[in-house]
Every structure is written in C-alpha cells, then in structure tokens.
Amino acid sequence: MPRALILGGTGLIGRAAARRLREAGWSVDAPGREVDREDPRAIGAALGDGADLLVDCLCYTAEHARTLLPLARNTTSTVMISAKAVYVDDEGRHANSVEPPRFAGPVTEDQPTMTPGDGDHQTREGYGANKVAAEHVLLDSGLPITVLRPSKVHGPGNKRPLEWYFVERILARHQIVLLASRGEGVDHTSAAANIASLIETVAANPGTRVLNAADPDAPNGLEISRIIARALGHHWREVLLDHDEAGRHPWRRGFVLDTSAAVALGYQPAGDYACTVQETLRDLVSSRSWQDRAGE
C-alpha cells in the first residue's frame, strides 16, 4: 500500500487530498497541530523511513522549503502548494496589488512571477514574494517536486468561504442582488477536491514542474450568484451595475489560469464549480454558527 504524508493535513486542501488518496487505497498520515511545521526534527519524525508522496500545504517561505528538502530526498514525489499570487502582469501588478493585474488571456505557468522575497509572508506584498522564494529553493534542487498554483480555493470547512457573500444574502431573504461591473468579473476558482485530484495525478507521475491548479471552468460573478441561488432554491432580481461602487463580489478581479499542462499530465477534475461547490453550500447552510450570523 503506497504511503503519503500531508503537512497541513487538517486544512482545506490537506483534508481533501487525504480523503481522495484514502479512497484510492493509500495509507495517509495527515498530522495537524501535533507536528510543528517550524521544527525540522518533528516533520522528519513524521515522515519516518520515507513515503511515496509528500504534500506540503504549509510551505510559505524559503526557510520552510529548505526544511522540506531532506524529506523530499526520501520521497518518490513531493507536492508544494503555492498560489496564483506569485504571477505578475507586464506592469508588475499581482493578485494582492491595490490595482488588479491585467492579462491578455489565461495565465500559463510561464507567466513572469514576483521577485523572490524574505519579508513578512503574512502581508499582501510579502505573501507572493515569499512563495516565489520557496518555489525557487524546491525547483532548483532537481528533486521530483511539483509546485501547484491554485486560485480562490473553495471547499467544505473553509474558514473564510467566499460563497458566504451570496449565502448570507439568501438566508436573509434578499429579493435583489447587486453585482458590480455587471457581474462580469472572473477570478478563477479552485475546488479543494480538484486540487486533490491533481495531487493524485502528480503522485503517479513524479517530476520537477509547476502546474496551475484550478477548476475546469471559470464562472464570473453573475454565474456564481446564479449557481448558489439555484442550489439553495432562492429567486432574486439581478441588478447589474456598470460601476464598481456597490455589489463588489469576491470574484470581480479578472484572473484565469490555464490548466492545459495539468490536463496533459492526466489531470481529471472531480467536477466543475457548480458541482464541487455543493458540499460547501450544504456545510454553510447547516452550520448553526453561519445561521446565527445571518440572524436566523
């Protein structure tokens, strides 16, 4: 039986990957807080004599990447979860810029990235720069390490679900929904279940590479509002605004990832956004805490 170790196994992506691999017959160790990601000895002990797959959902800096390398040498295939935040457009704008980036089309893995940095990775400017630095450490090692770059990750158990923007209004029985820029903004979604499917694909095809990890479709804000309303049996009037002063939904920034490289490797998504978001919506509606926040 193949063995996988997932660092950050209790997080959104880690849980989805663990479930997917177990269903495929893997033995999976997915430690949470009991293993300190900052302690190389602790994660080395968790790996033990080695593994067929190592997934790091908690690699944010170059130092994190350096502590991962000794483990990767005892692993057949390693996956590091990065982010689309590393990409920049021709003007150096990125996903966390004050002004959103502008790309001519879907962003491929060859798109330029931010300059590597070592500042505070928890800041808007530092997050992507540190991710780039971590990527460089891992990819330059020559080990079979795959870097995945997802966008707008969604799934059940998300601590900050973007879908709540519409769910909250539906639970409050709003009869209209305001959508900035006529609801045309597209910010590619990445289901945790689809990232898990790509992780399984990478495990079967070890190599040194970067892959975008996103849903097979990229719905805009209007389409997402309709998907969520339909799933919850709600009807409202859509007010499509030409300006961006009201109705600023979370998906209004234009950013689409090209996933053809992942597909060429054999990636088969678990489903499109409308399919994969259903579990999240059930989770939100059934949770007492979310209902309390909606005033019910």
Side-chain angles (χ1 to χ4, degrees):
M1 177 183 294
R3 176 178 180 251
L5 172 64
I6 303 177
L7 301 178
T10 58
L12 182 61
I13 296 174
R15 287 197 308 272
R19 180 168 66 177
R20 173 92 185 196
L21 293 170
R22 285 171 178 144
E23 290 175 350
W26 285 68
S27 169
V28 180
D29 292 321
R33 295 180 180 178
E34 63 268 25
V35 173
D36 184 358
R37 178 61 182 79
E38 305 293 332
D39 184 350
R41 290 177 297 180
I43 57 178
L47 182 69
D49 295 331
D52 299 282
L53 173 65
L54 171 62
V55 181
D56 193 347
C57 304
L58 303 174
C59 188
Y60 297 105
T61 68
E63 184 58 30
H64 287 162
R66 282 189 283 269
T67 64
L68 191 67
L69 289 179
L71 284 72
R73 295 188 181 97
N74 291 322
T75 306
T76 304
S77 182
T78 297
V79 174
M80 176 254 189
I81 303 299
S82 187
K84 73 166 185 195
V86 302
Y87 291 121
V88 295
D89 66 7
D90 293 341
E91 301 298 324
R93 294 169 298 206
H94 50 84
N96 289 322
S97 297
V98 174
E99 186 178 349
R102 298 178 183 177
F103 300 102
V107 176
T108 70
E109 292 84 353
D110 293 329
Q111 181 71 26
T113 64
M114 298 178 69
T115 300
D118 59 359
D120 186 353
H121 72 275
Q122 298 186 46
T123 65
R124 293 180 64 87
E125 283 295 326
Y127 179 76
N130 273 278
K131 280 286 191 180
V132 173
E135 289 184 3
H136 284 196
V137 170
L138 298 175
L139 296 172
D140 291 347
S141 72
L143 295 170
I145 298 175
T146 298
V147 170
L148 300 187
R149 294 172 177 166
S151 167
K152 284 285 192 283
V153 180
H154 63 96
N158 192 347
K159 294 181 179 179
R160 293 190 294 177
L162 300 179
E163 288 73 21
W164 180 246
Y165 179 86
F166 291 125
V167 172
E168 178 184 34
R169 288 159 174 75
I170 291 172
L171 293 179
R173 305 292 186 264
H174 286 200
Q175 296 304 302
I176 65 171
V177 59
L178 304 178
L179 293 167
S181 304
R182 306 189 64 80
E184 295 175 354
V186 176
D187 203 346
H188 213 157
T189 55
S190 298
N194 283 333
I195 299 172
S197 176
L198 182 52
I199 288 173
E200 183 183 16
T201 301
V202 168
N205 300 274
T208 306
R209 61 175 82 88
V210 176
L211 295 173
N212 287 333
D215 293 343
D217 58 333
N220 61 25
L222 174 59
E223 291 166 333
I224 289 175
S225 74
R226 290 175 173 176
I227 288 170
I228 294 176
R230 183 166 55 248
L232 300 184
H234 186 71
H235 300 279
W236 51 18
R237 182 167 62 89
E238 300 157 354
V239 179
L240 308 182
L241 305 174
D242 291 324
H243 53 77
D244 196 34
E245 296 176 1
R248 293 186 174 187
H249 58 83
W251 300 272
R252 69 187 184 278
R253 288 193 167 201
F255 210 131
V256 177
L257 294 177
D258 184 318
T259 60
S260 57
V263 171
L265 190 66
Y267 163 58
Q268 296 183 348
D272 60 11
Y273 178 80
C275 173
T276 55
V277 79
Q278 298 301 315
E279 193 174 1
T280 295
L281 299 179
R282 290 192 295 268
D283 186 46
L284 288 178
V285 173
S286 64
S287 171
R288 186 72 253 168
S289 61
W290 292 122
Q291 293 176 14
D292 288 345
R293 283 177 58 178
E296 298 196 356

